[in-house]
Amino acid sequence: MARTPVLTTRVLLICAAIGVATGLLGGIAGWVTPVLLASPLLFLYGLVLGSHVLPGIIAQEVLRLPFVALVTHVFAALIASAFNPAWALRFLGTALLFGLIQEGVAALTRYRAWGAWRFFVSAAVIGVIVAVVVFFAAHLSVMPLWAQVLYLAISVLGPVAWTAVGLAVGASLRRAGVARR
């Protein structure tokens, strides 16, 4: 007897809808990023970059299935790329990195544990990676110590805060019946 595929048309359409909505937010984040990086408020970049966790968080909270985070992140990256085509590879790279981390944490629990703690674990992992990478890429070591500490804290807490938003949105969509078969 043939198995039903995990990524059915219904699931892909839900992933696409979430990807479009969060891709619009990603496009806005793409516009804000160069301005923010050129300003004295550079240390807030972690908060803007943290918004890119939303596609996978919402998709996993709504559907609770394997691969939905990764697929939704790719849809969101394609939409965000329409806003800033020069950043298309960055959007896709971020989508793959964040989506794989979120899928990896879910896979460690064999896609059975859907408590908020699991989402926050993936957010913290993403936050630490983002903090370290951007710290070196943006040469933050030349900033005053207080700005470096603030940057690192915001970079880790940004994805965590956006995860809380994503869980609230996902729970609302689930209650509204989006996940019903």
Side-chain angles (χ1 to χ4, degrees):
M1 182 173 218
R3 281 184 53 181
T4 305
V6 174
L7 296 175
T8 63
T9 302
R10 180 188 68 82
V11 168
L12 288 173
L13 286 172
I14 293 169
C15 290
I18 294 168
V20 168
T22 55
L24 292 171
L25 182 61
I28 293 168
W31 284 340
V32 170
T33 295
V35 175
L36 189 62
L37 292 177
S39 78
L41 300 175
L42 167 69
F43 56 85
L44 293 176
Y45 179 58
L47 189 60
V48 174
L49 187 58
S51 67
H52 291 284
V53 302
L54 283 174
I57 298 297
I58 295 171
Q60 285 184 329
E61 176 64 16
V62 170
L63 297 167
R64 299 180 178 183
L65 293 170
F67 309 118
V68 296
L70 189 57
V71 169
T72 306
H73 271 289
V74 171
F75 281 129
L78 293 173
I79 296 301
S81 296
F83 285 88
N84 194 344
W87 284 40
L89 290 177
R90 289 181 185 147
F91 286 133
L92 286 170
T94 301
L96 292 174
L97 176 65
F98 288 12
L100 287 171
I101 290 170
Q102 290 169 342
E103 289 292 342
V105 171
L108 287 174
T109 63
R110 302 177 85 185
Y111 294 98
R112 293 184 181 147
W114 296 105
W117 67 270
R118 192 200 58 71
F119 293 98
F120 289 114
V121 165
S122 67
V125 170
I126 289 170
V128 168
I129 291 172
V130 165
V132 170
V133 169
V134 176
F135 183 86
F136 291 110
H139 305 290
L140 293 178
S141 59
V142 299
M143 296 180 78
L145 182 60
W146 68 267
Q148 292 178 34
V149 171
L150 190 59
Y151 165 78
L152 291 172
I154 290 173
S155 292
V156 173
L157 295 177
V160 173
W162 283 106
T163 293
V165 170
L167 287 173
V169 171
S172 295
L173 290 171
R174 196 168 177 75
R175 280 192 307 273
V178 172
R180 288 193 194 125
R181 295 186 187 256

